[in-house]
Amino acid sequence: GTPDILERRCVDIDDKISKPRPGQPLRVLFAGRFEARKGHDLALAVAERFRGDARIRFEFVGATPSAALLEQM
């Protein structure tokens, strides 16, 4: 995974990982192209399970999705 790659390059990520903030939702970021091999479908399925839960917030960023994908969202 990514932490292993960074550790091999002597990059300390501990101070870069977001810490929980009391009263704030957990923020989950999906960053990547909106295509099946990038896992956007899995990320959307997880986000759907937590829809309406104020304790967690999902953010999706990446290349512009197709019109068909926007309809699914």
Side-chain angles (χ1 to χ4, degrees):
T2 302
D4 296 335
I5 294 169
L6 295 174
E7 288 172 6
R8 284 194 298 249
R9 295 176 190 250
C10 299
V11 175
D12 182 15
I13 63 168
D14 289 335
D15 63 337
K16 295 169 182 58
I17 297 174
S18 179
K19 307 292 187 266
R21 296 179 184 152
Q24 296 292 318
L26 171 67
R27 293 174 57 199
V28 178
L29 171 68
F30 172 87
R33 288 187 299 268
F34 291 89
E35 55 187 59
R37 70 186 186 99
K38 294 293 185 175
H40 79 278
D41 53 339
L42 178 60
L44 285 171
V46 171
E48 178 65 26
R49 290 189 65 188
F50 289 96
R51 180 181 286 211
D53 188 332
R55 298 172 298 166
I56 189 165
R57 177 177 161 191
F58 288 85
E59 298 179 31
F60 292 82
V61 296
T64 305
S66 67
L69 179 59
L70 285 174
E71 289 176 12
Q72 292 176 6
M73 295 174 147

